[in-house]
Amino acid sequence: MVMEISFSTMFFHDHPLDLIFDAVRRSGADTLEFWPETPDWWLDGLPEGRLARVMKEYPLSSPLSVHAPVLDLNPCSINPDVVKASILWIQYSIKLADSLGAEVCTIHPGKRTSKRPPSETDYCRLDHMLDEIAPYAGSSHVSVSIENMEPQVNALLTTPAEISRILEEREWLSFTLDTCHVASRGEEVLGEFLSVAEGRIANVHLSGASGSVMHLPVKSNPWADRSLDLLAGAGYDGLVTLEINDLSVGNPLSVEAKIRMIYEDVNVVRNHLT
């Protein structure tokens, strides 16, 4: 049985926090994946008191999760200032997640700066980032969870073998499985991710895919259906986060249309996994 169904605050990219939090109740979801980069909060100076007030006014039935900032950041950059800023924002996000009572903080591994296959040096930079955030993870009540990336030329952590290695080396680290990032490689590889990360998955980012278009709604999407079948077969019963890109859908969506879309996808997930 699915314990929690969530959606990303970035789906409501241009809307205020109170509307986003109220959309949880209206859509039938349980909670949110909160991105500090949500514009209404990020551009307002990240006021934690305001966030706390909104959370009190629109209480969630399950603890939220946090997604560390990734826009304009890269912890594996060849630019040391970019590396420093990226790590600081990950550390900030872990502390924020802890203060908000979140259970999971998802992070990205970064990428090689140039569009070339990652080298040993790039993986050393990834190890450095993880070493820097380990004390923050160890002193919090949050599961710090690294996400698999879409298989692009300069991307890190795109294969089950890479995820297996990094989890084996760090007992404190969890895994956020992005099913859409596996779409181009098919069901067999998605099944391998589920196998190598068994017992370590803290969050599943779920969305549809069609050709090169990613992060589509789940409803009526064949890849999302196959992903849900594999999750059900693996007995997954943890957090599922709908990660839909409103720009992938086509025409601009109204608030009501977005809430209806989440509502329909929540029902699809519940029907598959309960």
Side-chain angles (χ1 to χ4, degrees):
M1 178 177 180
V2 172
M3 301 302 295
E4 301 160 349
I5 302 177
S6 172
F7 62 85
S8 168
T9 57
M10 294 296 265
F11 182 57
F12 291 86
H13 190 273
D14 297 316
H15 299 291
L17 283 184
D18 55 350
L19 183 151
I20 298 172
F21 275 78
D22 189 41
V24 177
R25 173 188 61 83
R26 296 182 61 195
S27 67
D30 300 303
T31 186
L32 285 169
E33 179 178 75
F34 182 73
W35 286 58
E37 291 165 307
T38 302
D40 184 52
W41 197 63
W42 183 259
L43 299 177
D44 193 32
L46 295 83
E48 294 187 24
R50 179 185 169 210
L51 178 57
R53 289 193 296 274
V54 172
M55 290 179 65
K56 185 175 181 180
E57 186 173 354
Y58 301 96
L60 304 171
S61 61
S62 298
L64 53 69
S65 62
V66 170
H67 195 300
V70 297
L71 304 178
D72 298 324
L73 298 171
N74 179 13
C76 293
S77 173
I78 59 173
N79 185 321
D81 293 329
V82 173
V83 171
K84 182 178 180 180
S86 302
I87 292 173
L88 285 172
W89 279 111
I90 294 171
Q91 293 168 340
Y92 166 83
S93 298
I94 296 169
K95 292 188 291 183
L96 175 68
D98 204 28
S99 70
L100 296 175
E103 293 186 342
V104 181
C105 179
T106 291
I107 65 174
H108 280 195
K111 59 187 177 182
R112 182 170 181 174
T113 300
S114 60
K115 292 189 180 298
R116 298 170 180 266
S119 67
E120 183 178 350
T121 303
D122 299 296
Y123 286 99
C124 287
R125 293 191 180 102
L126 173 59
D127 289 338
H128 168 73
M129 179 268 281
L130 293 170
D131 290 343
E132 289 292 308
I133 68 172
Y136 289 78
S139 63
S140 76
H141 298 92
V142 178
S143 292
V144 178
S145 190
I146 198 160
E147 182 177 343
N148 61 296
M149 295 290 101
E150 180 187 358
Q152 297 179 342
V153 64
N154 58 336
L156 283 72
L157 301 193
T158 67
T159 69
E162 290 177 287
I163 293 297
S164 178
R165 177 191 69 83
I166 210 162
L167 292 178
E168 286 178 1
E169 292 175 351
R170 294 170 174 84
E171 292 183 358
W172 58 268
L173 189 63
S174 297
F175 178 43
T176 291
L177 170 60
D178 191 308
T179 62
C180 196
H181 290 168
V182 191
S184 65
R185 292 180 168 171
E187 295 174 55
E188 183 176 348
V189 175
L190 181 55
E192 290 177 18
F193 273 109
L194 289 167
S195 178
V196 302
E198 184 178 4
R200 303 286 293 275
I201 301 176
N203 192 3
V204 169
H205 284 171
L206 181 70
S207 55
S210 179
S212 62
V213 182
M214 304 178 67
H215 299 299
L216 291 166
V218 168
K219 183 182 177 183
S220 301
N221 184 269
W223 174 250
D225 285 341
R226 292 196 293 272
S227 299
L228 284 165
D229 287 343
L230 285 167
L231 289 168
Y236 181 73
D237 62 357
L239 175 63
V240 174
T241 300
L242 299 168
E243 192 178 49
I244 304 166
N245 182 353
D246 61 333
L247 298 180
S248 295
V249 176
N251 296 326
L253 298 173
S254 67
V255 170
E256 294 302 319
K258 288 186 176 184
I259 292 173
R260 184 166 58 253
M261 186 175 289
I262 295 294
Y263 173 83
E264 291 173 346
D265 279 3
V266 165
N267 286 331
V268 170
V269 175
R270 290 202 198 283
N271 288 337
H272 267 82
L273 299 181
T274 58

